[in-house]
PDB file of all heavy atoms in Angstrom:
ATOM      1  N   TYR A  16     -25.133 -12.334   2.687  1.00 94.00           N
ATOM      2  CA  TYR A  16     -23.797 -11.921   3.126  1.00 94.00           C
ATOM      3  C   TYR A  16     -23.848 -11.089   4.408  1.00 94.00           C
ATOM      4  O   TYR A  16     -22.918 -10.348   4.708  1.00 94.00           O
ATOM      5  CB  TYR A  16     -23.104 -11.148   2.003  1.00 94.00           C
ATOM      6  CG  TYR A  16     -23.053 -11.932   0.720  1.00 94.00           C
ATOM      7  CD1 TYR A  16     -24.061 -11.794  -0.238  1.00 94.00           C
ATOM      8  CD2 TYR A  16     -22.034 -12.850   0.480  1.00 94.00           C
ATOM      9  CE1 TYR A  16     -24.045 -12.537  -1.413  1.00 94.00           C
ATOM     10  CE2 TYR A  16     -22.004 -13.602  -0.689  1.00 94.00           C
ATOM     11  CZ  TYR A  16     -23.017 -13.444  -1.629  1.00 94.00           C
ATOM     12  OH  TYR A  16     -23.002 -14.187  -2.784  1.00 94.00           O
ATOM     13  N   ARG A  67     -16.197 -13.018   0.862  1.00 93.00           N
ATOM     14  CA  ARG A  67     -16.707 -13.826  -0.250  1.00 93.00           C
ATOM     15  C   ARG A  67     -17.268 -12.970  -1.374  1.00 93.00           C
ATOM     16  O   ARG A  67     -17.465 -13.452  -2.485  1.00 93.00           O
ATOM     17  CB  ARG A  67     -17.847 -14.737   0.234  1.00 93.00           C
ATOM     18  CG  ARG A  67     -17.450 -15.843   1.169  1.00 93.00           C
ATOM     19  CD  ARG A  67     -18.626 -16.796   1.354  1.00 93.00           C
ATOM     20  NE  ARG A  67     -19.811 -16.119   1.899  1.00 93.00           N
ATOM     21  CZ  ARG A  67     -21.056 -16.559   1.731  1.00 93.00           C
ATOM     22  NH1 ARG A  67     -21.292 -17.651   1.007  1.00 93.00           N
ATOM     23  NH2 ARG A  67     -22.072 -15.912   2.290  1.00 93.00           N
ATOM     24  N   LEU A  68     -17.577 -11.685  -1.068  1.00 96.00           N
ATOM     25  CA  LEU A  68     -18.308 -10.857  -2.025  1.00 96.00           C
ATOM     26  C   LEU A  68     -17.555  -9.576  -2.347  1.00 96.00           C
ATOM     27  O   LEU A  68     -17.050  -8.895  -1.443  1.00 96.00           O
ATOM     28  CB  LEU A  68     -19.686 -10.497  -1.467  1.00 96.00           C
ATOM     29  CG  LEU A  68     -20.583  -9.629  -2.370  1.00 96.00           C
ATOM     30  CD1 LEU A  68     -21.051 -10.434  -3.584  1.00 96.00           C
ATOM     31  CD2 LEU A  68     -21.775  -9.083  -1.601  1.00 96.00           C
ATOM     32  N   ARG A  76     -14.963  -6.315 -15.069  1.00 95.00           N
ATOM     33  CA  ARG A  76     -15.123  -7.767 -15.176  1.00 95.00           C
ATOM     34  C   ARG A  76     -13.789  -8.466 -15.485  1.00 95.00           C
ATOM     35  O   ARG A  76     -13.416  -9.447 -14.831  1.00 95.00           O
ATOM     36  CB  ARG A  76     -16.158  -8.104 -16.241  1.00 95.00           C
ATOM     37  CG  ARG A  76     -16.393  -9.605 -16.414  1.00 95.00           C
ATOM     38  CD  ARG A  76     -17.472  -9.890 -17.446  1.00 95.00           C
ATOM     39  NE  ARG A  76     -18.778  -9.487 -16.968  1.00 95.00           N
ATOM     40  CZ  ARG A  76     -19.556 -10.243 -16.205  1.00 95.00           C
ATOM     41  NH1 ARG A  76     -19.141 -11.434 -15.822  1.00 95.00           N
ATOM     42  NH2 ARG A  76     -20.737  -9.818 -15.813  1.00 95.00           N
ATOM     43  N   GLN A  80     -12.119 -11.173 -12.646  1.00 90.00           N
ATOM     44  CA  GLN A  80     -12.665 -12.505 -12.924  1.00 90.00           C
ATOM     45  C   GLN A  80     -11.832 -13.643 -12.334  1.00 90.00           C
ATOM     46  O   GLN A  80     -12.328 -14.749 -12.121  1.00 90.00           O
ATOM     47  CB  GLN A  80     -12.830 -12.702 -14.430  1.00 90.00           C
ATOM     48  CG  GLN A  80     -11.528 -12.671 -15.220  1.00 90.00           C
ATOM     49  CD  GLN A  80     -11.764 -12.832 -16.721  1.00 90.00           C
ATOM     50  OE1 GLN A  80     -12.893 -13.038 -17.162  1.00 90.00           O
ATOM     51  NE2 GLN A  80     -10.695 -12.718 -17.502  1.00 90.00           N
ATOM     52  N   MET A  84     -14.421 -14.955  -6.331  1.00 94.00           N
ATOM     53  CA  MET A  84     -15.333 -14.345  -5.366  1.00 94.00           C
ATOM     54  C   MET A  84     -16.702 -14.185  -6.021  1.00 94.00           C
ATOM     55  O   MET A  84     -16.809 -14.078  -7.247  1.00 94.00           O
ATOM     56  CB  MET A  84     -14.830 -12.953  -4.936  1.00 94.00           C
ATOM     57  CG  MET A  84     -13.522 -12.941  -4.184  1.00 94.00           C
ATOM     58  SD  MET A  84     -13.053 -11.252  -3.700  1.00 94.00           S
ATOM     59  CE  MET A  84     -14.251 -10.939  -2.375  1.00 94.00           C
ATOM     60  N   ASP A  85     -17.747 -14.149  -5.194  1.00 95.00           N
ATOM     61  CA  ASP A  85     -19.055 -13.775  -5.705  1.00 95.00           C
ATOM     62  C   ASP A  85     -19.010 -12.287  -6.022  1.00 95.00           C
ATOM     63  O   ASP A  85     -18.327 -11.516  -5.317  1.00 95.00           O
ATOM     64  CB  ASP A  85     -20.140 -14.057  -4.664  1.00 95.00           C
ATOM     65  CG  ASP A  85     -20.295 -15.548  -4.382  1.00 95.00           C
ATOM     66  OD1 ASP A  85     -19.764 -16.348  -5.170  1.00 95.00           O
ATOM     67  OD2 ASP A  85     -20.940 -15.895  -3.380  1.00 95.00           O
ATOM     68  N   VAL A  86     -19.731 -11.887  -7.060  1.00 96.00           N
ATOM     69  CA  VAL A  86     -19.706 -10.489  -7.478  1.00 96.00           C
ATOM     70  C   VAL A  86     -21.126  -9.926  -7.544  1.00 96.00           C
ATOM     71  O   VAL A  86     -22.010 -10.539  -8.162  1.00 96.00           O
ATOM     72  CB  VAL A  86     -19.048 -10.323  -8.870  1.00 96.00           C
ATOM     73  CG1 VAL A  86     -18.930  -8.840  -9.227  1.00 96.00           C
ATOM     74  CG2 VAL A  86     -17.679 -10.992  -8.916  1.00 96.00           C
ATOM     75  N   PHE A  87     -21.317  -8.779  -6.913  1.00 97.00           N
ATOM     76  CA  PHE A  87     -22.574  -8.040  -7.100  1.00 97.00           C
ATOM     77  C   PHE A  87     -22.289  -6.966  -8.149  1.00 97.00           C
ATOM     78  O   PHE A  87     -21.494  -6.060  -7.918  1.00 97.00           O
ATOM     79  CB  PHE A  87     -23.039  -7.385  -5.796  1.00 97.00           C
ATOM     80  CG  PHE A  87     -24.383  -6.718  -5.911  1.00 97.00           C
ATOM     81  CD1 PHE A  87     -25.531  -7.344  -5.436  1.00 97.00           C
ATOM     82  CD2 PHE A  87     -24.533  -5.467  -6.516  1.00 97.00           C
ATOM     83  CE1 PHE A  87     -26.778  -6.746  -5.560  1.00 97.00           C
ATOM     84  CE2 PHE A  87     -25.762  -4.866  -6.649  1.00 97.00           C
ATOM     85  CZ  PHE A  87     -26.890  -5.502  -6.170  1.00 97.00           C
ATOM     86  N   TRP A  88     -22.956  -7.096  -9.307  1.00 97.00           N
ATOM     87  CA  TRP A  88     -22.771  -6.127 -10.379  1.00 97.00           C
ATOM     88  C   TRP A  88     -23.775  -4.988 -10.195  1.00 97.00           C
ATOM     89  O   TRP A  88     -24.985  -5.196 -10.290  1.00 97.00           O
ATOM     90  CB  TRP A  88     -22.978  -6.785 -11.743  1.00 97.00           C
ATOM     91  CG  TRP A  88     -22.040  -7.924 -12.013  1.00 97.00           C
ATOM     92  CD1 TRP A  88     -22.342  -9.247 -12.081  1.00 97.00           C
ATOM     93  CD2 TRP A  88     -20.625  -7.821 -12.249  1.00 97.00           C
ATOM     94  NE1 TRP A  88     -21.212  -9.998 -12.341  1.00 97.00           N
ATOM     95  CE2 TRP A  88     -20.139  -9.145 -12.459  1.00 97.00           C
ATOM     96  CE3 TRP A  88     -19.723  -6.755 -12.305  1.00 97.00           C
ATOM     97  CZ2 TRP A  88     -18.802  -9.425 -12.720  1.00 97.00           C
ATOM     98  CZ3 TRP A  88     -18.380  -7.051 -12.566  1.00 97.00           C
ATOM     99  CH2 TRP A  88     -17.932  -8.349 -12.764  1.00 97.00           C
ATOM    100  N   THR A  93     -27.410  -7.643  -9.992  1.00 95.00           N
ATOM    101  CA  THR A  93     -27.419  -9.109  -9.944  1.00 95.00           C
ATOM    102  C   THR A  93     -26.160  -9.617  -9.259  1.00 95.00           C
ATOM    103  O   THR A  93     -25.120  -8.961  -9.259  1.00 95.00           O
ATOM    104  CB  THR A  93     -27.490  -9.719 -11.360  1.00 95.00           C
ATOM    105  OG1 THR A  93     -26.370  -9.241 -12.132  1.00 95.00           O
ATOM    106  CG2 THR A  93     -28.794  -9.343 -12.046  1.00 95.00           C
ATOM    107  N   ILE A  94     -26.278 -10.815  -8.676  1.00 94.00           N
ATOM    108  CA  ILE A  94     -25.135 -11.456  -8.026  1.00 94.00           C
ATOM    109  C   ILE A  94     -24.684 -12.635  -8.873  1.00 94.00           C
ATOM    110  O   ILE A  94     -25.491 -13.486  -9.251  1.00 94.00           O
ATOM    111  CB  ILE A  94     -25.485 -11.936  -6.610  1.00 94.00           C
ATOM    112  CG1 ILE A  94     -25.815 -10.739  -5.714  1.00 94.00           C
ATOM    113  CG2 ILE A  94     -24.320 -12.735  -6.014  1.00 94.00           C
ATOM    114  CD1 ILE A  94     -26.241 -11.117  -4.308  1.00 94.00           C
ATOM    115  N   GLU A  95     -23.408 -12.660  -9.182  1.00 93.00           N
ATOM    116  CA  GLU A  95     -22.818 -13.771  -9.917  1.00 93.00           C
ATOM    117  C   GLU A  95     -22.023 -14.619  -8.932  1.00 93.00           C
ATOM    118  O   GLU A  95     -21.054 -14.140  -8.320  1.00 93.00           O
ATOM    119  CB  GLU A  95     -21.902 -13.233 -11.018  1.00 93.00           C
ATOM    120  CG  GLU A  95     -21.236 -14.301 -11.859  1.00 93.00           C
ATOM    121  CD  GLU A  95     -20.321 -13.689 -12.908  1.00 93.00           C
ATOM    122  OE1 GLU A  95     -20.716 -12.687 -13.540  1.00 93.00           O
ATOM    123  OE2 GLU A  95     -19.201 -14.206 -13.084  1.00 93.00           O
ATOM    124  N   SER A  96     -22.454 -15.858  -8.763  1.00 90.00           N
ATOM    125  CA  SER A  96     -21.797 -16.730  -7.797  1.00 90.00           C
ATOM    126  C   SER A  96     -20.632 -17.450  -8.453  1.00 90.00           C
ATOM    127  O   SER A  96     -20.797 -18.152  -9.451  1.00 90.00           O
ATOM    128  CB  SER A  96     -22.798 -17.745  -7.246  1.00 90.00           C
ATOM    129  OG  SER A  96     -22.179 -18.571  -6.292  1.00 90.00           O
ATOM    130  N   ASN A  97     -19.445 -17.261  -7.889  1.00 81.00           N
ATOM    131  CA  ASN A  97     -18.232 -17.882  -8.436  1.00 81.00           C
ATOM    132  C   ASN A  97     -17.537 -18.795  -7.444  1.00 81.00           C
ATOM    133  O   ASN A  97     -16.451 -19.297  -7.706  1.00 81.00           O
ATOM    134  CB  ASN A  97     -17.251 -16.798  -8.886  1.00 81.00           C
ATOM    135  CG  ASN A  97     -17.808 -15.958 -10.022  1.00 81.00           C
ATOM    136  OD1 ASN A  97     -18.313 -16.484 -11.006  1.00 81.00           O
ATOM    137  ND2 ASN A  97     -17.739 -14.641  -9.879  1.00 81.00           N
ATOM    138  N   THR A  98     -18.157 -18.989  -6.280  1.00 72.00           N
ATOM    139  CA  THR A  98     -17.537 -19.822  -5.250  1.00 72.00           C
ATOM    140  C   THR A  98     -18.565 -20.749  -4.637  1.00 72.00           C
ATOM    141  O   THR A  98     -19.765 -20.518  -4.710  1.00 72.00           O
ATOM    142  CB  THR A  98     -16.920 -18.972  -4.120  1.00 72.00           C
ATOM    143  OG1 THR A  98     -17.985 -18.359  -3.372  1.00 72.00           O
ATOM    144  CG2 THR A  98     -16.000 -17.904  -4.659  1.00 72.00           C
TER     145      THR A  98
END
Side-chain angles (χ1 to χ4, degrees):
Y16 305 92
R67 292 190 301 156
L68 180 70
R76 180 178 291 275
Q80 63 182 356
M84 295 181 73
D85 294 346
V86 185
F87 185 101
W88 301 110
T93 58
I94 296 177
E95 180 181 317
S96 181
N97 296 311
T98 69

